[in-house]
Amino acid sequence: MLANVSVLQSKLKLIDNSKAFQGFVIFVIIVSALSIGAHTYHLPSWMEKSLLALDVGITIFFAVEIVIRFLACDGPKKFFSNGWNIFDTLIVIGSLIPAGGAGILIARLLRIFRVLRLVSMIPELRMLVNALFKAIPRMGYIALLMFVIFYIYGAIGSMLFAHINDFLWGDVSVAMLTLFRISTFESWTSVMYETMAVYPLSWIYYLSFIFLTAFVFLNMMVGAVLDVMTQETAAMRAEEEAEEAKKLAPLAEPTNDDKPASAADVAELKAQISELKGMLMQSVQGAQKVG
């Protein structure tokens, strides 16, 4: 019985690790995304029924696929130790909610998230998402510093420009929203020229703020993400090299023929060489006597 289970698990592992199976799963995910997008259009009734049948087939396929991956793994603990496996399982379970009645909106929303399974299937996308999550703590400190700068500039802008345009600079919260608009370069010159009509040197306020937010802090954000992405890329390459080394390890193991010769083997080989030399010398001497 245990032998049959082990054979079945080995076959499931081959299926799960095969490029053809993984490629077909990606194809089904893309088809699922297209079918979800098609539901947003006004379609004939026959096409709506076809899309519903296709959605049922895709849901069943994903359920079978996650079962294959679960059985191919060495135990539930190892399977659920991978965060991506937990994510895929939640998406599949959510897709099994019937798309009808009061839960039709929730069911459709959960089916939309099946598109995110592309991330778990493609290693490069997983690396990008992992890098993004690991960069969030660093980005959080940068965002906190940006908030401090926004608050300082918002308070200054509210105190200086509230009497010019109360709608844009009435209080610190509204002023911070105006500064966010300025940081995105959305018609910021009109805001600047309005205050310059009263305070000609107010351009210093705007240019210094844009320099800090659009150039300094934005580049700090990009730098934090790139640093983590470099580390993740190096880790992924090291993992791939380790897997290749494991595959090549059985081929590199020394055989009995590759074992180093012992002292007795060396002495025997020297004796044989000496014997061959003696026989060769005797044959040479005999040929010289005949000549």
Side-chain angles (χ1 to χ4, degrees), residues 33-196:
L34 294 176
S35 66
I36 292 170
H39 279 294
T40 61
Y41 293 91
H42 296 288
L43 301 174
S45 59
W46 65 270
M47 189 173 290
E48 287 283 352
K49 293 179 181 178
S50 301
L51 288 175
L52 288 175
L54 178 63
D55 185 73
V56 172
I58 291 172
T59 302
I60 294 173
F61 173 79
F62 281 142
V64 173
E65 183 259 344
I66 203 69
V67 169
I68 290 174
R69 287 172 54 187
F70 178 78
L71 295 177
C73 196
D74 298 328
K77 185 176 181 180
K78 185 175 181 181
F79 180 82
F80 289 111
S81 63
N82 189 332
W84 290 110
N85 289 337
I86 297 174
F87 173 78
D88 290 342
T89 304
L90 292 176
I91 293 297
V92 171
I93 293 175
S95 300
L96 295 175
I97 296 176
I104 185 170
L105 179 60
I106 297 175
R108 287 182 177 179
L109 289 174
L110 290 173
R111 280 166 170 76
I112 292 172
F113 284 105
R114 288 192 302 205
V115 183
L116 289 175
R117 292 206 58 201
L118 276 175
V119 177
S120 63
M121 293 300 301
I122 301 176
E124 287 76 11
L125 291 180
R126 289 203 304 266
M127 184 268 293
L128 291 175
V129 174
N130 289 334
L132 180 61
F133 279 121
K134 290 184 178 180
I136 286 177
R138 302 186 188 183
M139 295 170 64
Y141 289 112
I142 299 172
L144 179 60
L145 183 58
M146 287 181 65
F147 174 79
V148 172
I149 298 300
F150 266 80
Y151 188 83
I152 293 172
Y153 272 82
I156 294 173
S158 180
M159 286 186 279
L160 292 178
F161 309 136
H163 66 283
I164 299 175
N165 190 331
D166 186 68
F167 180 76
L168 296 178
W169 306 100
D171 53 57
V172 66
S173 58
V174 174
M176 289 175 69
L177 288 175
T178 303
L179 289 173
F180 184 79
R181 168 187 168 184
I182 293 171
S183 65
T184 60
F185 300 105
E186 177 64 28
S187 302
W188 72 277
T189 53
S190 61
V191 179
M192 182 181 66
Y193 290 143
E194 184 181 33
T195 58
M196 284 181 65

Side-chain angles (χ1 to χ4, degrees), residues 4-14 71-75:
N4 294 333
V5 173
S6 179
V7 171
L8 177 61
Q9 189 178 40
S10 299
K11 291 181 179 179
L12 292 176
K13 282 183 179 180
L14 290 175
L71 295 177
C73 196
D74 298 328

